[in-house]
Amino acid sequence: MQKKLRKNGKIIIVDDGSSDNTLEIAQKLSKENDSVKVASHQPNRGYGAALKEGFARAKYGTVVFTDGDRQFDFSQVTRFLERIDKADMVIGYRERRQIILQGIF
């Protein structure tokens, strides 16, 4: 995480029943850094439940969330934070979303 983003805060990792070693890695990071907190769902409860869990654990006025599969360039968060004092909410979206059509012919 870039230093200019690390004023005051926590990183909340919600593992929603991953079948890989995500939970073990997250727990290791949490032990090494008290700014990292981990929540785990076993079994998987779905994307909405994972978001709800993360938001429920958030304690600060500004909340930034992203999926952990690198779909988004997290460095872009600085652009959102530059605007947050002028708005109640800042929302981003992908300009180019890849759509895969299967079996619709």
Side-chain angles (χ1 to χ4, degrees), residues 3 5 8 12 18 26-27 30 32 41 47 50-51 56-57 61 65 68 73 82 84 87-88 100 104:
K3 281 193 174 203
L5 292 180
N8 216 351
I12 303 167
S18 295
Q27 290 171 331
S30 179
E32 294 172 357
H41 294 171
Y47 187 71
L51 288 176
R57 291 175 178 247
F65 75 94
D73 180 0
E82 291 168 358
I84 197 67
D88 293 329
I100 300 171
I104 305 180

PDB file of all heavy atoms in Angstrom, residues 3 5 8 12 18 26-27 30 32 41 47 50-51 56-57 61 65 68 73 82 84 87-88 100 104:
ATOM      1  N   LYS A   3       2.374   4.808   0.857  1.00  0.00           N
ATOM      2  CA  LYS A   3       2.404   5.533   2.129  1.00  0.00           C
ATOM      3  C   LYS A   3       1.359   6.627   2.209  1.00  0.00           C
ATOM      4  O   LYS A   3       0.774   6.834   3.248  1.00  0.00           O
ATOM      5  CB  LYS A   3       3.786   6.114   2.366  1.00  0.00           C
ATOM      6  CG  LYS A   3       4.754   5.099   2.874  1.00  0.00           C
ATOM      7  CD  LYS A   3       5.991   5.765   3.393  1.00  0.00           C
ATOM      8  CE  LYS A   3       6.843   4.692   4.015  1.00  0.00           C
ATOM      9  NZ  LYS A   3       7.751   5.190   4.977  1.00  0.00           N
ATOM     10  N   LEU A   5      -1.558   6.681   1.279  1.00  0.00           N
ATOM     11  CA  LEU A   5      -2.869   6.129   1.601  1.00  0.00           C
ATOM     12  C   LEU A   5      -2.939   5.642   3.048  1.00  0.00           C
ATOM     13  O   LEU A   5      -4.007   5.408   3.562  1.00  0.00           O
ATOM     14  CB  LEU A   5      -3.194   4.950   0.688  1.00  0.00           C
ATOM     15  CG  LEU A   5      -3.417   5.256  -0.780  1.00  0.00           C
ATOM     16  CD1 LEU A   5      -3.724   3.967  -1.525  1.00  0.00           C
ATOM     17  CD2 LEU A   5      -4.541   6.243  -0.965  1.00  0.00           C
ATOM     18  N   ASN A   8      -4.293   6.507   8.492  1.00  0.00           N
ATOM     19  CA  ASN A   8      -4.954   5.921   9.633  1.00  0.00           C
ATOM     20  C   ASN A   8      -5.918   4.893   9.089  1.00  0.00           C
ATOM     21  O   ASN A   8      -6.796   5.244   8.335  1.00  0.00           O
ATOM     22  CB  ASN A   8      -5.742   7.042  10.312  1.00  0.00           C
ATOM     23  CG  ASN A   8      -5.761   6.938  11.785  1.00  0.00           C
ATOM     24  OD1 ASN A   8      -5.329   5.957  12.349  1.00  0.00           O
ATOM     25  ND2 ASN A   8      -6.284   7.962  12.409  1.00  0.00           N
ATOM     26  N   ILE A  12      -9.200  -4.845   5.900  1.00  0.00           N
ATOM     27  CA  ILE A  12     -10.051  -5.955   6.301  1.00  0.00           C
ATOM     28  C   ILE A  12     -10.116  -6.929   5.130  1.00  0.00           C
ATOM     29  O   ILE A  12     -10.598  -6.583   4.056  1.00  0.00           O
ATOM     30  CB  ILE A  12     -11.467  -5.471   6.667  1.00  0.00           C
ATOM     31  CG1 ILE A  12     -11.394  -4.428   7.786  1.00  0.00           C
ATOM     32  CG2 ILE A  12     -12.346  -6.659   7.058  1.00  0.00           C
ATOM     33  CD1 ILE A  12     -12.693  -3.677   8.008  1.00  0.00           C
ATOM     34  N   SER A  18     -12.755 -19.425   0.296  1.00  0.00           N
ATOM     35  CA  SER A  18     -11.828 -19.727  -0.798  1.00  0.00           C
ATOM     36  C   SER A  18     -11.306 -21.152  -0.676  1.00  0.00           C
ATOM     37  O   SER A  18     -11.070 -21.649   0.425  1.00  0.00           O
ATOM     38  CB  SER A  18     -10.634 -18.766  -0.777  1.00  0.00           C
ATOM     39  OG  SER A  18     -11.053 -17.455  -1.022  1.00  0.00           O
ATOM     40  N   ALA A  26      -3.834 -14.603   4.487  1.00  0.00           N
ATOM     41  CA  ALA A  26      -4.440 -13.461   5.173  1.00  0.00           C
ATOM     42  C   ALA A  26      -4.139 -13.509   6.670  1.00  0.00           C
ATOM     43  O   ALA A  26      -3.801 -12.489   7.284  1.00  0.00           O
ATOM     44  CB  ALA A  26      -5.942 -13.439   4.932  1.00  0.00           C
ATOM     45  N   GLN A  27      -4.240 -14.684   7.271  1.00  0.00           N
ATOM     46  CA  GLN A  27      -3.950 -14.820   8.704  1.00  0.00           C
ATOM     47  C   GLN A  27      -2.484 -14.527   9.005  1.00  0.00           C
ATOM     48  O   GLN A  27      -2.168 -13.903  10.021  1.00  0.00           O
ATOM     49  CB  GLN A  27      -4.347 -16.215   9.191  1.00  0.00           C
ATOM     50  CG  GLN A  27      -5.845 -16.398   9.226  1.00  0.00           C
ATOM     51  CD  GLN A  27      -6.274 -17.826   9.487  1.00  0.00           C
ATOM     52  OE1 GLN A  27      -5.577 -18.785   9.150  1.00  0.00           O
ATOM     53  NE2 GLN A  27      -7.456 -17.969  10.067  1.00  0.00           N
ATOM     54  N   SER A  30      -2.043 -10.828   8.925  1.00  0.00           N
ATOM     55  CA  SER A  30      -2.644 -10.253  10.118  1.00  0.00           C
ATOM     56  C   SER A  30      -1.722 -10.380  11.333  1.00  0.00           C
ATOM     57  O   SER A  30      -1.628  -9.468  12.151  1.00  0.00           O
ATOM     58  CB  SER A  30      -3.983 -10.934  10.406  1.00  0.00           C
ATOM     59  OG  SER A  30      -4.567 -10.418  11.566  1.00  0.00           O
ATOM     60  N   GLU A  32       1.512 -10.487  11.190  1.00  0.00           N
ATOM     61  CA  GLU A  32       2.692  -9.648  10.940  1.00  0.00           C
ATOM     62  C   GLU A  32       2.385  -8.161  11.014  1.00  0.00           C
ATOM     63  O   GLU A  32       3.295  -7.358  11.202  1.00  0.00           O
ATOM     64  CB  GLU A  32       3.264  -9.967   9.555  1.00  0.00           C
ATOM     65  CG  GLU A  32       3.828 -11.356   9.432  1.00  0.00           C
ATOM     66  CD  GLU A  32       4.205 -11.729   8.006  1.00  0.00           C
ATOM     67  OE1 GLU A  32       3.972 -10.915   7.076  1.00  0.00           O
ATOM     68  OE2 GLU A  32       4.721 -12.837   7.817  1.00  0.00           O
ATOM     69  N   HIS A  41     -15.547 -16.806   6.059  1.00  0.00           N
ATOM     70  CA  HIS A  41     -16.836 -17.476   5.912  1.00  0.00           C
ATOM     71  C   HIS A  41     -16.587 -18.915   5.476  1.00  0.00           C
ATOM     72  O   HIS A  41     -15.989 -19.148   4.440  1.00  0.00           O
ATOM     73  CB  HIS A  41     -17.695 -16.800   4.842  1.00  0.00           C
ATOM     74  CG  HIS A  41     -18.118 -15.419   5.186  1.00  0.00           C
ATOM     75  ND1 HIS A  41     -18.730 -14.599   4.273  1.00  0.00           N
ATOM     76  CD2 HIS A  41     -18.055 -14.711   6.339  1.00  0.00           C
ATOM     77  CE1 HIS A  41     -19.007 -13.438   4.850  1.00  0.00           C
ATOM     78  NE2 HIS A  41     -18.598 -13.478   6.094  1.00  0.00           N
ATOM     79  N   TYR A  47     -20.936 -13.148  -2.533  1.00  0.00           N
ATOM     80  CA  TYR A  47     -20.319 -11.820  -2.654  1.00  0.00           C
ATOM     81  C   TYR A  47     -20.980 -10.782  -1.749  1.00  0.00           C
ATOM     82  O   TYR A  47     -20.310 -10.023  -1.064  1.00  0.00           O
ATOM     83  CB  TYR A  47     -20.379 -11.382  -4.123  1.00  0.00           C
ATOM     84  CG  TYR A  47     -19.642 -10.112  -4.421  1.00  0.00           C
ATOM     85  CD1 TYR A  47     -18.247 -10.080  -4.399  1.00  0.00           C
ATOM     86  CD2 TYR A  47     -20.325  -8.942  -4.732  1.00  0.00           C
ATOM     87  CE1 TYR A  47     -17.563  -8.913  -4.686  1.00  0.00           C
ATOM     88  CE2 TYR A  47     -19.644  -7.773  -5.018  1.00  0.00           C
ATOM     89  CZ  TYR A  47     -18.268  -7.764  -4.994  1.00  0.00           C
ATOM     90  OH  TYR A  47     -17.586  -6.612  -5.273  1.00  0.00           O
ATOM     91  N   ALA A  50     -20.019 -11.199   1.847  1.00  0.00           N
ATOM     92  CA  ALA A  50     -18.632 -10.775   2.075  1.00  0.00           C
ATOM     93  C   ALA A  50     -18.552  -9.253   2.178  1.00  0.00           C
ATOM     94  O   ALA A  50     -17.868  -8.711   3.054  1.00  0.00           O
ATOM     95  CB  ALA A  50     -17.732 -11.294   0.955  1.00  0.00           C
ATOM     96  N   LEU A  51     -19.258  -8.549   1.288  1.00  0.00           N
ATOM     97  CA  LEU A  51     -19.284  -7.086   1.364  1.00  0.00           C
ATOM     98  C   LEU A  51     -19.894  -6.623   2.684  1.00  0.00           C
ATOM     99  O   LEU A  51     -19.357  -5.739   3.360  1.00  0.00           O
ATOM    100  CB  LEU A  51     -20.079  -6.497   0.202  1.00  0.00           C
ATOM    101  CG  LEU A  51     -19.441  -6.560  -1.179  1.00  0.00           C
ATOM    102  CD1 LEU A  51     -20.415  -6.028  -2.218  1.00  0.00           C
ATOM    103  CD2 LEU A  51     -18.141  -5.788  -1.218  1.00  0.00           C
ATOM    104  N   ALA A  56     -19.480  -4.021   7.873  1.00  0.00           N
ATOM    105  CA  ALA A  56     -19.835  -4.085   9.298  1.00  0.00           C
ATOM    106  C   ALA A  56     -18.603  -3.936  10.189  1.00  0.00           C
ATOM    107  O   ALA A  56     -18.687  -3.380  11.285  1.00  0.00           O
ATOM    108  CB  ALA A  56     -20.546  -5.404   9.597  1.00  0.00           C
ATOM    109  N   ARG A  57     -17.460  -4.395   9.709  1.00  0.00           N
ATOM    110  CA  ARG A  57     -16.227  -4.303  10.494  1.00  0.00           C
ATOM    111  C   ARG A  57     -15.496  -2.970  10.316  1.00  0.00           C
ATOM    112  O   ARG A  57     -14.578  -2.673  11.065  1.00  0.00           O
ATOM    113  CB  ARG A  57     -15.292  -5.453  10.126  1.00  0.00           C
ATOM    114  CG  ARG A  57     -15.810  -6.790  10.600  1.00  0.00           C
ATOM    115  CD  ARG A  57     -14.916  -7.917  10.111  1.00  0.00           C
ATOM    116  NE  ARG A  57     -15.373  -9.183  10.597  1.00  0.00           N
ATOM    117  CZ  ARG A  57     -14.706  -9.934  11.475  1.00  0.00           C
ATOM    118  NH1 ARG A  57     -13.547  -9.526  11.949  1.00  0.00           N
ATOM    119  NH2 ARG A  57     -15.188 -11.089  11.860  1.00  0.00           N
ATOM    120  N   GLY A  61     -14.567   6.713   8.805  1.00  0.00           N
ATOM    121  CA  GLY A  61     -15.539   7.417   7.983  1.00  0.00           C
ATOM    122  C   GLY A  61     -15.408   7.184   6.494  1.00  0.00           C
ATOM    123  O   GLY A  61     -16.370   7.293   5.759  1.00  0.00           O
ATOM    124  N   PHE A  65     -13.241  -0.263  -0.952  1.00  0.00           N
ATOM    125  CA  PHE A  65     -13.240  -1.713  -1.096  1.00  0.00           C
ATOM    126  C   PHE A  65     -12.928  -2.105  -2.524  1.00  0.00           C
ATOM    127  O   PHE A  65     -13.176  -1.356  -3.463  1.00  0.00           O
ATOM    128  CB  PHE A  65     -14.562  -2.334  -0.619  1.00  0.00           C
ATOM    129  CG  PHE A  65     -15.707  -2.148  -1.571  1.00  0.00           C
ATOM    130  CD1 PHE A  65     -16.015  -3.133  -2.503  1.00  0.00           C
ATOM    131  CD2 PHE A  65     -16.500  -1.019  -1.514  1.00  0.00           C
ATOM    132  CE1 PHE A  65     -17.068  -2.975  -3.376  1.00  0.00           C
ATOM    133  CE2 PHE A  65     -17.562  -0.845  -2.378  1.00  0.00           C
ATOM    134  CZ  PHE A  65     -17.855  -1.832  -3.313  1.00  0.00           C
ATOM    135  N   GLY A  68     -10.307  -9.015  -4.393  1.00  0.00           N
ATOM    136  CA  GLY A  68      -8.913  -9.426  -4.230  1.00  0.00           C
ATOM    137  C   GLY A  68      -8.318 -10.114  -5.440  1.00  0.00           C
ATOM    138  O   GLY A  68      -7.195 -10.603  -5.379  1.00  0.00           O
ATOM    139  N   ASP A  73      -7.143  -1.746 -10.769  1.00  0.00           N
ATOM    140  CA  ASP A  73      -5.856  -1.158 -10.423  1.00  0.00           C
ATOM    141  C   ASP A  73      -6.042  -0.342  -9.146  1.00  0.00           C
ATOM    142  O   ASP A  73      -6.576   0.763  -9.172  1.00  0.00           O
ATOM    143  CB  ASP A  73      -5.378  -0.277 -11.573  1.00  0.00           C
ATOM    144  CG  ASP A  73      -4.039   0.392 -11.300  1.00  0.00           C
ATOM    145  OD1 ASP A  73      -3.458   0.184 -10.213  1.00  0.00           O
ATOM    146  OD2 ASP A  73      -3.577   1.129 -12.178  1.00  0.00           O
ATOM    147  N   GLU A  82      -8.829  12.018  -3.719  1.00  0.00           N
ATOM    148  CA  GLU A  82      -8.650  13.443  -3.999  1.00  0.00           C
ATOM    149  C   GLU A  82     -10.001  14.167  -4.070  1.00  0.00           C
ATOM    150  O   GLU A  82     -10.081  15.363  -3.844  1.00  0.00           O
ATOM    151  CB  GLU A  82      -7.917  13.633  -5.336  1.00  0.00           C
ATOM    152  CG  GLU A  82      -6.478  13.208  -5.302  1.00  0.00           C
ATOM    153  CD  GLU A  82      -5.857  13.126  -6.686  1.00  0.00           C
ATOM    154  OE1 GLU A  82      -6.565  13.364  -7.701  1.00  0.00           O
ATOM    155  OE2 GLU A  82      -4.653  12.821  -6.768  1.00  0.00           O
ATOM    156  N   ILE A  84     -12.958  12.973  -2.448  1.00  0.00           N
ATOM    157  CA  ILE A  84     -13.887  12.549  -1.403  1.00  0.00           C
ATOM    158  C   ILE A  84     -14.340  13.699  -0.498  1.00  0.00           C
ATOM    159  O   ILE A  84     -15.465  13.680   0.010  1.00  0.00           O
ATOM    160  CB  ILE A  84     -13.308  11.375  -0.572  1.00  0.00           C
ATOM    161  CG1 ILE A  84     -14.408  10.659   0.216  1.00  0.00           C
ATOM    162  CG2 ILE A  84     -12.202  11.835   0.348  1.00  0.00           C
ATOM    163  CD1 ILE A  84     -15.402   9.922  -0.614  1.00  0.00           C
ATOM    164  N   ALA A  87     -17.609  15.330  -1.857  1.00  0.00           N
ATOM    165  CA  ALA A  87     -18.778  14.494  -2.136  1.00  0.00           C
ATOM    166  C   ALA A  87     -19.038  13.543  -0.972  1.00  0.00           C
ATOM    167  O   ALA A  87     -18.154  13.294  -0.161  1.00  0.00           O
ATOM    168  CB  ALA A  87     -18.536  13.696  -3.414  1.00  0.00           C
ATOM    169  N   ASP A  88     -20.236  13.033  -0.907  1.00  0.00           N
ATOM    170  CA  ASP A  88     -20.564  12.028   0.096  1.00  0.00           C
ATOM    171  C   ASP A  88     -20.052  10.651  -0.313  1.00  0.00           C
ATOM    172  O   ASP A  88     -19.772   9.805   0.531  1.00  0.00           O
ATOM    173  CB  ASP A  88     -22.079  11.934   0.297  1.00  0.00           C
ATOM    174  CG  ASP A  88     -22.648  13.198   0.908  1.00  0.00           C
ATOM    175  OD1 ASP A  88     -21.927  13.859   1.696  1.00  0.00           O
ATOM    176  OD2 ASP A  88     -23.793  13.538   0.597  1.00  0.00           O
ATOM    177  N   ILE A 100     -18.027 -11.953 -22.394  1.00  0.00           N
ATOM    178  CA  ILE A 100     -17.823 -13.227 -23.079  1.00  0.00           C
ATOM    179  C   ILE A 100     -19.183 -13.870 -23.303  1.00  0.00           C
ATOM    180  O   ILE A 100     -19.927 -14.117 -22.358  1.00  0.00           O
ATOM    181  CB  ILE A 100     -16.919 -14.156 -22.244  1.00  0.00           C
ATOM    182  CG1 ILE A 100     -15.551 -13.490 -22.017  1.00  0.00           C
ATOM    183  CG2 ILE A 100     -16.775 -15.499 -22.923  1.00  0.00           C
ATOM    184  CD1 ILE A 100     -14.666 -14.212 -21.053  1.00  0.00           C
ATOM    185  N   ILE A 104     -24.805 -18.623 -27.151  1.00  0.00           N
ATOM    186  CA  ILE A 104     -25.967 -17.805 -27.466  1.00  0.00           C
ATOM    187  C   ILE A 104     -26.134 -17.690 -28.980  1.00  0.00           C
ATOM    188  O   ILE A 104     -26.703 -16.776 -29.478  1.00  0.00           O
ATOM    189  CB  ILE A 104     -25.803 -16.396 -26.823  1.00  0.00           C
ATOM    190  CG1 ILE A 104     -25.549 -16.545 -25.338  1.00  0.00           C
ATOM    191  CG2 ILE A 104     -27.030 -15.544 -27.069  1.00  0.00           C
ATOM    192  CD1 ILE A 104     -25.377 -15.215 -24.630  1.00  0.00           C
TER     193      ILE A 104
END
